[in-house]
Amino acid sequence: MQYSEISYFVKQGSYYLQGYLVLQGSENMSIRSQLLKGILDGCVLAVIEKETVYGYELSTKLQVAGLNDVSEGTIYPVLLRLQKNGYIVGEMRPSDSGPNRKYYSITTEGLQALREIQQEWVTVSVPITKLLGE
Amino acid sequence: MNVQQLVKLNNERKKMLSKPNLKYYEDLLVYIRLANRKDEQAKEEVLMEMLEHLIEAEQNGVEADAVFGKTPKQLADEIIESLPKEKKLSGIYFMAETLVLMLGVYIASTGIFNIILKQDFELHTGNVLATFGVIIIGFLVLLKILIGGIRKASFKNKKAPWLIPSIAMTIYIFSVSAFTVFVPGFGKSFTVTPLMMTVVGVVLLVVYGVMKLIRK
């Protein structure tokens, strides 16, 4: 067995162990993922508002912005949800280098939702920063 | 691209993955494809997206579990939850299509066997209707079992995931057959030549072919 395969299986094992230990519900979910759960939709919308992107690009931009722990697995459920709600639309574009990519752009409803989220974020983040700060 | 084209492309592109990443992806894929009552097109699109994402990450030197940060099952569960529901018509359509196929094969083969035996059929309307009822109800029950059972069975039994569905199917066909043979005639009787039977069976098979074509 090659090293990469061994390390893969060891990592798989540890993830399965973690998964087994995680209780249903959010008690054992990492604090960061709990915090991000609510606001990640907003972050994704904000990135898409600035630029039409595809999945991999989106995760890179989030990582560059500093959210490097946001595993790329989390963005696909978010993208699906945002499409379901009509906040973004996906368009398949054939690319020259081969793979077809689905590019996402924000809709009018999405923009509206984003504005609301931005307002809500300002409203709560100020008092929270104060509360947690001292 | 429609579902069939996406599946075909997926099989092609999967080859680009390294062995451990391929294993991860295929676990993920089976879980998502087995999700009950979720839109097939959406499933295949998101599977395609994640495949390309994984390929790109691999080219940048990252491994699958680091990319997605969780087990295939955990990821699949989250994806499945966000997937849109299956379009109402397609679920029923798919079941009907399979039913037509099964009936067609059954009737056609019974007809052919009786042509060989040079026997005519004496059918009773009561039996015919009851048999149809049994076939259809049994089929629905079978589907329920399969859809519930396949998910669990496939993951416990990687070597022979077809085992439980095959057993269920065999029991089903066996029971229908037993019903046809052992239940005595009731209702008005009429005769059917084996030729007529074969024709009916073949017609059903043609209908099945048409249904499949319409789906494309």
Side-chain angles (χ1 to χ4, degrees):
Chain A
M1 254 210 236
Q2 288 178 335
Y3 170 73
S4 61
E5 288 177 31
I6 297 175
S7 72
Y8 171 78
F9 284 113
V10 168
K11 280 187 210 164
Q12 276 284 65
S14 71
Y15 277 125
Y16 277 113
L17 184 63
Q18 281 177 46
Y20 177 75
L21 293 172
V22 166
L23 304 168
Q24 295 295 323
S26 58
E27 286 108 332
N28 276 7
M29 206 195 285
S30 84
I31 296 174
R32 188 176 307 193
S33 19
Q34 270 190 66
L35 286 172
L36 285 175
K37 203 173 183 198
I39 200 61
L40 197 55
D41 286 21
C43 297
V44 169
L45 277 174
V47 171
I48 295 179
E49 185 206 10
K50 293 207 179 70
E51 189 185 342
T52 300
V53 287
Y54 70 98
Y56 193 81
E57 240 185 325
L58 172 64
S59 70
T60 315
K61 284 188 191 286
L62 288 171
Q63 284 168 0
V64 161
L67 293 177
N68 15 36
D69 236 29
V70 173
S71 56
E72 289 135 83
T74 331
I75 60 161
Y76 286 104
V78 172
L79 287 170
L80 280 168
R81 202 167 41 241
L82 294 175
Q83 282 178 89
K84 230 204 246 179
N85 298 339
Y87 294 162
I88 59 177
V89 282
E91 185 197 356
M92 292 288 280
R93 283 191 206 165
S95 80
D96 320 312
S97 50
N100 298 335
R101 290 175 179 156
K102 199 171 183 191
Y103 283 84
Y104 293 99
S105 9
I106 200 168
T107 62
T108 340
E109 292 86 1
L111 257 168
Q112 208 178 342
L114 177 59
R115 298 289 170 248
E116 280 175 30
I117 294 173
Q118 283 165 331
Q119 263 179 337
E120 286 300 311
W121 174 256
V122 168
T123 314
V124 298
S125 61
V126 170
I128 290 177
T129 311
K130 249 199 217 162
L131 279 167
L132 293 176
E134 303 314 325
Chain B
M1 287 185 114
N2 71 17
V3 170
Q4 271 153 327
Q5 291 166 322
L6 280 167
V7 171
K8 199 169 164 200
L9 183 59
N10 193 301
N11 290 335
E12 274 301 307
R13 292 295 289 166
K14 248 192 311 194
K15 298 174 187 170
M16 303 276 300
L17 290 176
S18 69
K19 236 171 99 179
N21 286 351
L22 181 61
K23 182 173 192 313
Y24 183 102
Y25 182 72
E26 290 197 312
D27 282 354
L28 177 69
L29 179 137
V30 176
Y31 256 115
I32 290 183
R33 282 198 177 146
L34 288 178
N36 224 349
R37 293 204 195 96
K38 292 289 182 174
D39 186 271
E40 257 202 289
Q41 179 81 14
K43 279 188 210 173
E44 293 302 326
E45 280 181 6
V46 79
L47 279 171
M48 198 69 233
E49 258 186 294
M50 289 194 284
L51 175 57
E52 294 296 348
H53 187 129
L54 205 47
I55 292 174
E56 197 166 344
E58 195 175 283
Q59 285 167 353
N60 294 341
V62 192
E63 281 173 31
D65 50 329
V67 171
F68 291 124
K70 43 191 84 159
T71 65
K73 183 182 190 324
Q74 290 167 333
L75 182 54
D77 286 340
E78 289 178 23
I79 301 273
I80 289 169
E81 216 191 313
S82 335
L83 279 171
K85 281 197 196 161
E86 157 186 78
K87 294 172 192 151
K88 276 199 176 171
L89 205 54
S90 72
I92 302 173
Y93 189 83
F94 175 70
M95 277 183 3
E97 200 185 82
T98 319
L99 190 59
V100 167
L101 171 68
M102 287 174 63
L103 280 174
V105 170
Y106 175 71
I107 293 177
S109 50
T110 320
I112 291 174
F113 294 146
N114 279 277
I115 287 179
I116 296 172
L117 291 173
K118 295 214 170 113
Q119 272 177 21
D120 271 351
F121 263 116
E122 197 194 316
L123 290 179
H124 301 259
T125 42
N127 283 64
V128 169
L129 289 173
T131 311
F132 271 107
V134 166
I135 288 179
I136 292 173
I137 293 174
F139 183 72
L140 292 172
V141 168
L142 181 72
L143 267 184
K144 266 226 128 180
I145 296 174
L146 288 182
I147 289 173
I150 284 181
R151 282 193 83 178
K152 299 175 197 169
S154 305
F155 284 92
K156 288 185 185 162
N157 196 356
K158 288 247 165 93
K159 285 188 185 164
W162 42 260
L163 189 64
I164 290 186
S166 313
I167 293 177
M169 277 252 158
T170 312
I171 294 177
Y172 170 61
I173 295 176
F174 187 82
S175 341
V176 171
S177 194
F179 182 86
T180 329
V181 171
F182 290 114
V183 173
F186 60 96
K188 205 167 121 183
S189 79
F190 59 95
T191 323
V192 175
T193 65
L195 186 63
M196 269 162 65
M197 256 229 157
T198 315
V199 167
V200 168
V202 169
V203 164
L204 281 174
L205 289 175
V206 168
V207 169
Y208 169 72
V210 168
M211 285 176 94
K212 260 218 135 168
L213 278 170
I214 294 179
R215 255 217 290 165
K216 269 201 179 167

